[in-house]
Amino acid sequence: MGVILNIRRRVYEALTWGIPDYVPWIVKPNHLPRGEEERELRAKGLGLSIPVSLFRVTIEGVECEQRTVGDYLVRVCRTLVGEVREVYRINLPSEAGERSDRWKIEYYVKSSNDHRVIRYLYENMKVVPNYRDAMIIEKDLGGDGVVYTNGGYSPLMELIVKLMGFKSFSIEFKRNPGKIEELLELVWEKKLETYKIIAKSPIKIVLIGDNIDEVLIDPRLFKKYCLPFYQECSELLRKNNKIVGSHMDGRLRSLRDLIPKAGLDFIHGFTPPPGGNLSISEVRKIWKDQIAIWLNIPQIMFYWDNIKMRRYIIKLLRQASPGYGFILGITETVPPEYRMKGYEVITDTVNKFGKVPIKRANVDL
């Protein structure tokens, strides 16, 4: 593969069902070892995928303060109509920077009494374009990888993941569905404004949220609240020549027939067994060449021995053959003490068996 390859072109080809020379194998910078190990891996073809932001958010008439109390970070937002509070557990293990050292344990919305404050926040929120840093990062990266952006969660997931938590959302959705619908409409409007800004940006690859898992978002919720948002944003972004995906890294079996209706070009973070419950072979039969797969290699694989790891990567390549519309990546935490061993196995296996088109007969288990 060599050092003169163009990873960016390889990824674009994969996401648009072209013919890359090899299956792309890319990771985010915080998942990559440094020093000699990084140089060795990148020289062999491991590329970078760098997330960038394209907008700034400001809220007028809001006073926010935060304080640290032991191992807890407390953030309070005060508005003219009241205040809301969220709490994070901090100083958690970060796996050498692989992941955040904090976890949200208390959400802004605890009951319907907090809806008025959340409405105020979104009604007074301003989203402002900020393309400069992303353009600099993309220029500096060159052909060594791709930059991509994420406009944030869909309205439903914004409520669940950022504002309410699954427990409070479930209770409120059951008791006060009308108020939840009102919040969803308001968040939808602000999110659409954000994606209009992204549509005008120079960045090519766009994610629409979203951390979807069928156990938390069943087909009924997905069909009613997620699909229409994906469809509207996908249409907007694709009209502006973007390659559009969504981060769906959970179990997807019960959603597999709905996902193709979203208008997406690819699924980011697609996790096969043993982490997920859908194989590449299964979704290829259903999605065919409609949706490309940006795959997340499950974390558990890094604890296996080299032979078992190699066989697993070969199995993925066989299932993805002839290799069009397919990217290998990592979107979850990689245990640092096992990372280099795993990366070497993956890189060497892709170099040996990942040349496109992949012929199943030539991929020897």
Side-chain angles (χ1 to χ4, degrees):
M1 295 166 73
V3 296
I4 62 172
L5 51 83
N6 190 309
I7 303 295
R8 180 188 298 178
R9 184 180 303 120
R10 183 177 290 170
V11 172
Y12 284 173
E13 290 286 350
L15 292 178
T16 58
W17 294 91
I19 306 178
D21 53 348
Y22 278 79
V23 168
W25 156 225
I26 54 178
V27 298
K28 292 193 293 186
N30 65 309
H31 289 162
L32 191 63
R34 293 292 181 256
E36 293 181 5
E37 292 178 344
E38 176 184 2
R39 288 194 294 273
E40 177 184 341
L41 289 167
R42 293 180 65 186
K44 289 182 177 181
L46 175 59
L48 291 172
S49 60
I50 302 180
V52 295
S53 175
L54 298 172
F55 57 89
R56 292 184 293 106
V57 176
T58 61
I59 307 176
E60 296 182 358
V62 177
E63 177 186 319
C64 292
E65 68 174 32
Q66 63 182 39
R67 66 183 186 276
T68 302
V69 183
D71 286 330
Y72 299 91
L73 176 69
V74 181
R75 181 177 295 130
V76 179
C77 286
R78 299 183 177 89
T79 75
L80 297 175
V81 298
E83 69 178 42
V84 287
R85 186 182 90 152
E86 64 180 3
V87 179
Y88 291 82
R89 175 71 163 82
I90 59 174
N91 300 323
L92 297 170
S94 67
E95 295 283 5
E98 282 269 343
R99 61 186 179 193
S100 174
D101 66 348
R102 60 192 57 191
W103 188 261
K104 188 182 294 188
I105 60 172
E106 182 180 316
Y107 293 81
Y108 279 143
V109 181
K110 300 168 185 63
S111 71
S112 57
N113 296 329
D114 298 313
H115 288 206
R116 183 172 62 164
V117 180
I118 297 302
R119 290 191 64 85
Y120 183 94
L121 293 176
Y122 278 86
E123 287 170 351
N124 290 275
M125 185 181 294
K126 295 186 182 299
V127 185
V128 182
N130 183 26
Y131 303 151
R132 182 176 180 272
D133 288 353
M135 294 173 66
I136 292 172
I137 293 170
E138 184 170 55
K139 181 179 179 181
D140 288 346
L141 182 61
D144 283 3
V146 293
V147 300
Y148 65 95
T149 193
N150 192 329
Y153 292 112
S154 63
L156 177 67
M157 296 302 287
E158 180 97 346
L159 258 62
I160 293 174
V161 178
K162 292 186 66 175
L163 299 176
M164 303 183 72
F166 285 99
K167 182 179 179 180
S168 293
F169 172 81
S170 300
I171 294 172
E172 282 291 288
F173 190 69
K174 183 70 173 179
R175 292 177 177 174
N176 301 296
K179 287 192 174 183
I180 292 293
E181 293 278 359
E182 290 176 3
L183 276 184
L184 283 170
E185 289 178 9
L186 181 60
V187 176
W188 187 304
E189 180 182 340
K190 190 57 59 175
K191 287 290 180 179
L192 189 57
E193 181 182 332
T194 300
Y195 280 101
K196 287 178 180 178
I197 289 173
I198 291 174
K200 296 177 181 178
S201 79
I203 300 304
K204 187 79 171 173
I205 302 173
V206 181
L207 292 182
I208 307 172
D210 220 0
N211 296 108
I212 294 296
D213 182 281
E214 67 179 13
V215 176
L216 302 174
I217 305 298
D218 64 18
R220 179 177 59 94
L221 286 174
F222 188 85
K223 185 176 182 179
K224 184 173 182 179
Y225 297 109
C226 295
L227 269 186
F229 184 76
Y230 295 150
Q231 290 165 348
E232 185 169 5
C233 290
S234 293
E235 183 179 3
L236 167 68
L237 293 165
R238 295 176 77 173
K239 283 182 179 178
N240 286 271
N241 299 312
K242 306 304 182 189
I243 304 172
V244 187
S246 182
H247 183 75
M248 300 187 186
D249 58 345
R251 292 153 290 187
L252 302 176
R253 178 171 295 278
S254 67
L255 305 174
R256 60 186 179 181
D257 295 321
L258 292 172
I259 290 172
K261 300 177 182 180
L264 303 168
D265 295 305
F266 68 96
I267 296 301
H268 180 264
F270 176 89
T271 304
N277 62 0
L278 267 181
S279 69
I280 300 169
S281 298
E282 289 176 288
V283 296
R284 281 291 195 238
K285 293 177 182 177
I286 301 168
W287 300 348
K288 302 187 185 302
D289 60 355
Q290 183 179 349
I291 302 178
I293 297 172
W294 187 329
L295 184 136
N296 167 51
I297 298 172
Q299 181 198 60
I300 186 65
M301 190 213 71
F302 287 87
Y303 295 97
W304 298 342
D305 62 49
N306 287 10
I307 295 175
K308 188 174 180 180
M309 289 168 58
R310 177 179 176 275
R311 287 176 175 171
Y312 183 76
I313 299 302
I314 289 174
K315 179 181 178 181
L316 296 179
L317 293 172
R318 283 175 60 88
Q319 291 185 0
S321 65
Y324 310 131
F326 185 66
I327 296 173
L328 285 173
I330 295 171
T331 61
E332 58 184 329
T333 302
V334 179
E337 60 269 34
Y338 299 102
R339 179 172 53 193
M340 188 58 191
K341 178 192 74 169
Y343 281 18
E344 287 178 339
V345 171
I346 298 167
T347 303
D348 291 343
T349 305
V350 172
N351 281 347
K352 185 172 182 179
F353 298 107
K355 185 173 177 57
V356 179
I358 298 171
K359 298 180 180 179
R360 292 178 64 91
N362 296 336
V363 183
D364 183 14
L365 287 170

